[in-house]
Amino acid sequence: MARERVDCVVVGAGVVGLACARALAQAGREVIVLEAEGAFGTVTSARNSEVIHAGIYYPTGSLRARLCVRGKALLYDYCAEHRVDHRRCGKLIVAQNGAEVTQLQVIEQRARANGVPDLQWLEADEAQALEPQLRCTRALLSPSTGIIDSHGLMLALLGDAQAAGAVLALRSPALRAAATQLGIELDVGGDGATALLADVVVNSAGHEAPVLAAATQGLAAQHVPPRYFAKGCYFTLSGRSPFSHLVYPAPGESSHLGVHLTLDLGGQAKFGPSFRWVDHLDHSIDEGEAVHFYDEVRRYWPGLRDGALQPGYAGVRPKIRGPGEPVQDFRIDGPSEHGVPGLVNLFGIESPGLTSSLAIAERVAALLAKPAH
Ligand SMILES: Cc1cc2nc3c(=O)[nH]c(=O)nc-3n(C[C@H](O)[C@H](O)[C@H](O)COP(=O)(O)OP(=O)(O)OC[C@H]3O[C@@H](n4cnc5c(N)ncnc54)[C@H](O)[C@@H]3O)c2cc1C
């Protein structure tokens, strides 16, 4: 089969792939987005908390910290300009005892170092004035945290990319790639099975990114991370939420943020995500976790009634470090990391990937910018 010559291929139409496609198309490049499924944004981008994170928790200087803070600013502007539904509702991080207050102090210092200087301390009565049903000894208010309609965001990103000439090919999985002197060869399966030769490939395949990287001839094995899956389940609250802010417990020693309360734009509350290592992509809900949810939520909301939680949905974090290993950062591997011209691999884009999507795209487009003449 003759190979069709194209400029840029973005593999994966989740929020990050769509943001990259938009950035590249708006930079004047010809872009094809390959998506394995029959619709865009059906995997991790459809199964998350839909929170616009402030950038509080991540290690200072990490990509997660920097791209979250930058991405948040870009995202609020983007939502306002493109009428993407969102709300800057703010979030409370709550402490139940002195040890947790100490954790909040560490969090506040880290937030400041990350470029999030607007956290405010609240005493118990001040927090309860905002949220009468909340129990805590002290709290930190993060005013720049918000919620977003992630599907609306992806629709707007796709619309921008298409308006700048990008094409979305659904049911078109990238099967393998090879780095050659002429460019990157890509074999595409599915409905429109074809063979492409691209100047640029952005591997934004989420959970599958390490698999495609491993199937890329010419990419040395040391540049392909292992993949792991960490499932998070959500339970929804029947009836209207008694809270108007997001509520997060102090995170403790764990690397995940605890069973928190988030809201959707319809005012419905959900709790989650939990954290459990699994050995494959598994979106089933572990209903047995409900008992543990009641215990965790009642620490900050004693009024939660028996039977009020309903199984919601599950999302799986695309991990590149396994149990017991240090917390991972985002990996944006460009030619200077792996030596393959025109290739960018995105690995471990878990939370705050939604918030960071426009900043990740900005960085990817900069890595692939054509030298000015
Ligand atoms: C439980 C949970 C909660 C989260 N909460 C938040 C939050 O509140 N705020 C936040 O900022 N972030 C959050 N995140 C992180 C955020 O959801 C992700 O970082 C983001 O959705 C990743 O987008 P993506 O485009 O990289 O991946 P995905 O959305 O998984 O997209 C990858 C796409 O690639 C496609 N694909 C795979 N293989 C191929 C192939 N070979 N060829 C073509 N296409 C392929 C898939 O079908 C998929 O559509 C959360 C994540 C989880 C799991």
Side-chain angles (χ1 to χ4, degrees):
M1 193 190 308
R3 287 194 179 271
E4 190 186 335
R5 180 101 221 178
V6 294
D7 183 11
C8 304
V9 176
V10 174
V11 181
V15 70
V16 173
L18 292 172
C20 291
R22 168 183 177 267
L24 291 166
Q26 290 187 339
R29 306 196 68 150
E30 177 204 14
V31 179
I32 297 182
V33 185
L34 300 176
E35 169 52 51
E37 300 295 330
F40 64 86
T42 62
V43 190
T44 310
S45 298
R47 297 172 165 277
N48 57 64
S49 301
E50 298 192 295
V51 172
I52 301 177
H53 285 298
I56 295 171
Y57 302 93
Y58 318 107
T60 303
S62 64
L63 280 180
R64 288 167 91 195
R66 286 183 287 148
L67 297 178
C68 185
V69 171
R70 170 86 185 138
K72 171 184 65 172
L74 292 172
L75 195 53
Y76 276 124
D77 287 349
Y78 187 83
C79 288
E81 278 165 27
H82 291 73
R83 296 167 186 262
V84 176
D85 206 3
H86 71 292
R87 195 159 73 236
R88 205 184 285 244
C89 52
K91 110 174 171 186
L92 292 162
I93 313 170
V94 297
Q96 304 300 345
N97 52 45
E100 291 189 357
V101 171
T102 308
Q103 281 179 27
L104 263 47
Q105 283 162 344
V106 174
I107 286 174
E108 196 225 353
Q109 281 164 10
R110 183 175 283 185
R112 208 176 281 284
N114 287 356
V116 187
D118 58 355
L119 299 193
Q120 296 160 27
W121 281 105
L122 301 180
E123 298 305 326
D125 57 337
E126 293 171 308
Q128 267 146 17
L130 290 179
E131 295 290 1
Q133 302 232 20
L134 184 67
R135 177 168 75 189
C136 63
T137 53
R138 284 187 93 188
L140 273 176
L141 171 65
S142 166
S144 73
T145 303
I147 51 175
I148 182 168
D149 167 9
S150 52
H151 189 76
L153 171 65
M154 289 191 277
L155 209 52
L157 293 171
L158 176 62
D160 278 357
Q162 288 174 328
V167 172
L168 170 63
L170 298 173
R171 295 184 198 84
S172 302
L175 302 177
R176 64 192 78 79
T180 73
Q181 294 289 340
L182 298 175
I184 301 169
E185 294 179 354
L186 262 183
D187 292 341
V188 184
D191 288 357
T194 183
L196 303 174
L197 178 63
D199 291 334
V200 158
V201 171
V202 179
N203 172 5
S204 180
H207 288 288
E208 301 302 317
V211 177
L212 180 60
T216 300
Q217 244 179 56
L219 180 72
Q222 78 257 31
H223 299 296
V224 182
R227 65 173 179 161
Y228 301 94
F229 307 90
K231 179 152 80 163
C233 292
Y234 293 85
F235 284 78
T236 56
L237 182 70
S238 45
R240 240 192 123 67
S241 168
F243 294 91
S244 58
H245 295 77
L246 311 185
V247 180
Y248 283 54
E253 296 303 310
S254 84
S255 63
H256 88 108
L257 302 183
V259 170
H260 46 261
L261 177 152
T262 59
L263 303 167
D264 65 21
L265 288 152
Q268 190 88 43
K270 60 190 178 221
F271 295 93
S274 52
F275 188 102
R276 191 161 74 82
W277 292 103
V278 290
D279 57 14
H280 62 284
L281 192 59
D282 162 18
H283 288 137
S284 62
I285 301 165
D286 306 321
E287 296 195 19
E289 285 186 1
V291 181
H292 159 75
F293 269 67
Y294 280 102
D295 289 346
E296 287 216 17
V297 173
R298 282 179 177 145
R299 291 189 71 225
Y300 55 85
W301 182 28
L304 174 62
R305 281 179 297 103
D306 278 339
L309 296 182
Q310 309 298 326
Y313 60 96
V316 178
R317 302 164 182 89
K319 296 275 187 188
I320 52 173
R321 296 251 175 95
E325 294 183 319
V327 178
Q328 73 191 38
D329 197 3
F330 290 160
R331 261 181 68 179
I332 302 180
D333 287 9
S336 58
E337 276 80 30
H338 52 58
V340 177
L343 177 66
V344 176
N345 283 322
L346 300 175
F347 298 127
I349 312 294
E350 54 161 317
S351 194
L354 172 65
T355 310
S356 309
S357 51
L358 291 169
I360 295 172
E362 197 175 60
R363 195 177 172 95
V364 167
L367 283 177
L368 295 171
K370 287 183 176 161
H373 294 294

